[in-house]
Amino acid sequence: MSRLAIPTREDAPEKSQPLLDAVEKQLGVVPNLFRLVATSPAALEGYLGLNAALGRTLDAKTRERIALAIAQANGCDYCLSAHSYLGLNLAKIDDAEIALNRAGHSGDAKADAAIVFAGKVLGARGRVTDADIAEVRLAGFSEAQVIEIVATVALNVLTNYINNVADTDIDFPVVRAAQTA
């Protein structure tokens, strides 16, 4: 059971209701993460705003691959479950690629550079080397995309930490970080 109360859809704060309506319109449901974050309308607005903005930049596969690597590294079962499901069903990433992503890699060279860089950003708390930046640029990522990869890492750390603090009830097919990637 979640350590923080997850409000029902109807019991979420009034200021969160329009935001949850938009989530439901996009996904067809309102997963527990969104209802949990909705307890703070400001946090929900910030999360959804950054998520939407990044959705217009890096492609869905790259974002899901990074999310899988970060969730695995942070031991976030909720996010690992959600992004495994989204990766398979929305981004159309196959099981073998998801396993590679969880291990911090990809079978696609350009995607691998993004995931490896994301892992370095996480592990070094942003203090990456000049060589790390050169490698991701060499793979074809622009300076704007480097910033977007960092922002994607930060967004996923946010949800990983919220779910790890709350021990959010998983409402996706369950995947555990402790399981071999």
Side-chain angles (χ1 to χ4, degrees):
M1 184 165 167
S2 180
R3 296 188 299 192
L4 297 178
I6 300 173
T8 65
R9 174 72 172 77
E10 297 75 27
D11 289 338
E14 186 177 329
K15 288 185 177 182
S16 292
Q17 292 295 334
L19 301 169
L20 293 174
D21 290 343
V23 168
E24 188 168 22
K25 184 177 180 183
Q26 182 182 11
L27 299 178
V29 296
V30 181
N32 286 342
L33 165 68
F34 296 96
R35 290 188 293 116
L36 174 63
V37 177
T39 60
S40 168
L44 183 61
E45 181 180 4
Y47 167 72
L48 292 174
L50 182 55
N51 191 49
L54 293 172
R56 294 186 298 270
T57 60
L58 298 173
D59 65 275
K61 283 187 178 186
T62 299
R63 291 190 322 274
E64 289 303 324
R65 287 169 166 148
I66 292 170
L68 286 160
I70 301 305
Q72 180 71 36
N74 283 327
C76 182
D77 293 341
Y78 186 93
C79 291
L80 195 56
S81 299
H83 291 289
S84 292
Y85 178 84
L86 294 170
L88 281 168
N89 294 290
L90 294 179
K92 304 300 182 194
I93 301 170
D94 64 34
D95 287 325
E97 178 68 9
I98 286 175
L100 282 171
N101 301 159
R102 288 180 62 185
H105 289 283
S106 173
D108 174 90
K110 185 172 182 179
D112 189 65
I115 295 166
V116 168
F117 181 72
K120 289 178 179 180
V121 168
L122 179 69
R125 296 187 181 130
R127 297 191 182 283
V128 296
T129 66
D130 291 346
D132 296 332
I133 293 170
E135 286 175 26
V136 76
R137 281 183 180 153
L138 187 62
F141 289 96
S142 68
E143 289 194 3
Q145 289 171 316
V146 169
I147 297 297
E148 291 156 2
I149 291 168
V150 173
T152 300
V153 170
L155 183 66
N156 282 281
V157 167
L158 171 67
T159 58
N160 291 176
Y161 284 12
I162 287 170
N163 286 307
N164 284 344
V165 165
D167 196 17
T168 309
D169 296 329
I170 300 172
D171 48 355
F172 292 91
V174 176
V175 177
R176 301 278 181 207
Q179 296 169 337
T180 304

